[in-house]
Amino acid sequence: MRKTSPPTAPAISSPITRAAFDEVMVPNYAPAAFIPVRGQGSRVWDQAGREYVDFAGGIAVNSVGHAHPQVVKALTEQANRLWHVANVLTNEPAIAFARALIEKTFAERVFFANSGAEANEAALKLARKWASDHFPAAGAEHGETDKFEIVACLNSFHGRTLFTVSVGGQAKYTQGFAPLPAGISHVPYNDIAALCAAVSDKTCCVIVEPIQGEGGVTPATREYLRAARALCDQHKALLIFDEVQCGSGRTGQLFAYMKYGVTPDILTTAKGIGGGFPLGVMLTTTAIAASFAVGAHGSTYGGNPLACAVGLAVLNIISAPETLKNVDARHRQIVAGLNELKRKYQVFTEVRGDGLLIGAELAEKWKGRGKDMVKMAEKHGLMLLIAGPDVMRIAPSLLITQDDVEQGLKRLDATVAELLAAETSAAA
Ligand SMILES: *Cc1c(COP(=O)(O)O)cnc(C)c1O
């Protein structure tokens, strides 16, 4: 029903509270009870001035922590110069950032978007277009091809646009949104035989997360990614690595493909590459990029000077050897801490992941209670994540200090201890 009476909403000057969120927002999120207002490094403060250790990193986004001076400088300098021109013009930050990405990776060409989903949307469309260009169906007049099939993994996550939820391997994200794009099949992750059976000459691309993030922090095996590469070569299909979450320094190498020693044809990254500024990146080769001729794809904001100035500043920090060394050192520290909690409280069954993308599988009696743990952690001044209902996830800044990790682990210990105490008193 349309509103006919004068607006009764509180004046803009009324306090901004968590309760107000439920009055003004579409109800697709259920944010925490506190509202953060300020961040510095890996610490965050809420409206009441309470301080938190940030083990969540804005879901693997705040790769250089909050308010990093070099990034603030890059952003404010650009903000004082030029915000936006759209792609009828180009701009200096976009070219400089693309050049830096090419220097540091397999890529020869770059496409900029504003999010991970958009980077994947571009990658998937490029694969279809590439197949249409190089393998047209007999008598094709409008780009028809039989080589349109996309092979993706069960439990994968590739974003929330209709195409990317359809390619993603989690049915809960497509329910209610049918009809879905066609020509997509899903195979169990890390199952080479299933992949062999699924990939054929009709396949235009295989898309894989080198580490499944949302799906529960599960790394691919090296054999699996090698097999995917070989199958794509054999059937002339493109291999897409979705490194939206696991790329951009998170594994302790600039991109996960470097660690695995398997090079994709197209790589997408987002999250950490913008450090908190909306930014998505698709990397590929000159030959494949040729299928995105003038007019084939686009984005009003993609390659925006503000985003690219930030991206370049972030890239310079996350590709520095000291940063990547810190990722390895903090990985060891966090994994040791989690294994200690596992031993002390039997709360986890497995600690896994790579670099600063770490998951801890909840023990049987804790299954489905990841959200309770996140909530209890807030009470103890710790921001945590889950990856599905049964896996606790930690994805902090790549620059998080030894002290911050130590403090965070202490707070996690207190969190688990209180959850257990509540359990025991409830049982008594
Ligand atoms: C988060 C994520 C996406 C989607 O990124 P958005 O920026 O939310 O659109 C895609 N793929 C992976 C692997 C992700 O973790």
Side-chain angles (χ1 to χ4, degrees):
M1 222 170 65
R2 272 195 71 80
K3 279 194 275 188
T4 48
S5 52
T8 53
I12 225 85
S13 59
S14 73
I16 307 246
T17 59
R18 171 60 182 82
F21 176 93
D22 297 329
E23 291 160 16
V24 298
M25 297 293 186
V26 166
N28 61 318
Y29 302 119
F34 71 95
I35 299 184
V37 293
R38 188 167 69 82
Q40 190 68 56
S42 286
R43 303 277 173 147
V44 169
W45 289 265
D46 70 10
Q47 289 177 312
R50 285 200 66 211
E51 174 252 11
Y52 301 80
V53 172
D54 189 1
F55 271 10
I59 316 189
V61 167
N62 297 353
S63 53
V64 296
H66 299 272
H68 191 289
Q70 267 167 262
V71 182
V72 171
K73 182 165 175 276
L75 177 60
T76 47
E77 278 182 9
Q78 190 57 44
N80 283 309
R81 200 172 288 152
L82 184 71
W83 282 34
H84 179 79
V85 290
N87 290 300
V88 288
L89 300 156
T90 186
N91 66 80
E92 292 176 354
I95 296 170
F97 182 34
R99 202 181 260 162
L101 286 162
I102 287 168
E103 262 169 30
K104 292 177 193 296
T105 67
F106 76 96
E108 300 164 337
R109 289 289 187 273
V110 179
F111 174 80
F112 291 125
N114 313 290
S115 66
E118 282 179 59
N120 284 332
E121 187 84 20
L124 295 162
K125 281 182 69 182
L126 178 57
R128 284 259 174 99
K129 186 69 168 51
W130 171 85
S132 155
D133 286 350
H134 296 280
F135 305 91
E141 284 178 27
H142 304 287
E144 297 90 343
T145 177
D146 296 323
K147 195 175 176 63
F148 58 79
E149 288 180 3
I150 294 166
V151 177
C153 293
L154 285 170
N155 217 30
S156 66
F157 184 81
H158 298 299
R160 298 290 202 125
T161 64
L162 192 60
F163 198 3
T164 55
V165 279
S166 305
V167 171
Q170 301 188 53
K172 65 182 177 193
Y173 293 132
T174 53
Q175 259 159 40
F177 298 119
L180 305 176
I184 301 162
S185 61
H186 294 97
V187 292
Y189 191 56
N190 276 336
D191 181 337
I192 294 175
L195 193 61
C196 274
V199 177
S200 74
D201 290 346
K202 286 182 148 190
T203 306
C204 68
C205 69
V206 173
I207 181 166
V208 193
E209 290 168 87
I211 302 175
Q212 285 192 338
E214 299 303 308
V217 191
T218 312
T221 62
R222 174 165 286 140
E223 298 68 46
Y224 187 66
L225 296 186
R226 280 197 185 142
R229 177 70 274 171
L231 282 165
C232 285
D233 291 344
Q234 183 189 337
H235 293 283
K236 297 192 167 58
L238 301 181
L239 180 61
I240 303 174
F241 280 177
D242 178 346
E243 296 207 22
V244 169
Q245 185 159 169
C246 67
S248 301
R250 196 142 290 276
T251 62
Q253 294 224 18
L254 186 53
F255 287 100
Y257 85 84
M258 298 168 174
K259 201 151 191 178
Y260 280 96
V262 177
T263 305
D265 300 298
I266 302 176
L267 182 147
T268 57
T269 195
K271 294 205 166 92
I273 196 71
F277 202 95
L279 173 60
V281 173
M282 183 190 76
L283 305 176
T284 191
T285 64
T286 306
I288 296 164
S291 287
F292 266 180
V294 173
H297 188 60
S299 162
T300 298
Y301 289 120
N304 168 288
L306 292 171
C308 290
V310 169
L312 180 57
V314 169
L315 181 66
N316 284 334
I317 300 167
I318 63 177
S319 59
E322 313 87 80
T323 304
L324 299 172
K325 238 180 255 158
N326 189 60
V327 171
D328 289 338
R330 300 291 75 78
H331 169 87
R332 288 193 296 273
Q333 189 186 358
I334 293 171
V335 166
L338 294 179
N339 279 321
E340 173 66 17
L341 292 181
K342 175 181 169 218
R343 193 191 53 74
K344 195 165 158 191
Y345 299 115
Q346 284 89 51
V347 64
F348 307 127
T349 52
E350 188 191 28
V351 177
R352 59 179 182 246
D354 198 358
L356 287 175
L357 181 55
I358 299 169
E361 179 96 33
L362 298 179
E364 199 54 47
K365 66 177 274 210
W366 294 90
K367 288 265 187 268
R369 294 197 51 198
K371 276 189 182 158
D372 295 347
M373 191 172 283
V374 170
K375 228 179 190 168
M376 184 63 83
E378 278 156 22
K379 205 182 136 189
H380 289 273
L382 176 66
M383 288 154 69
L384 275 183
L385 292 171
I386 49 176
D390 304 329
V391 177
M392 190 204 73
R393 171 173 43 158
I394 295 179
S397 162
L398 309 185
L399 302 177
I400 192 169
T401 62
Q402 184 173 3
D403 282 352
D404 285 339
V405 167
E406 195 178 318
Q407 192 53 239
L409 287 170
K410 271 191 193 141
R411 294 179 189 188
L412 183 58
D413 187 315
T415 298
V416 175
E418 188 174 346
L419 278 172
L420 274 172
E423 198 91 333
T424 318
S425 66

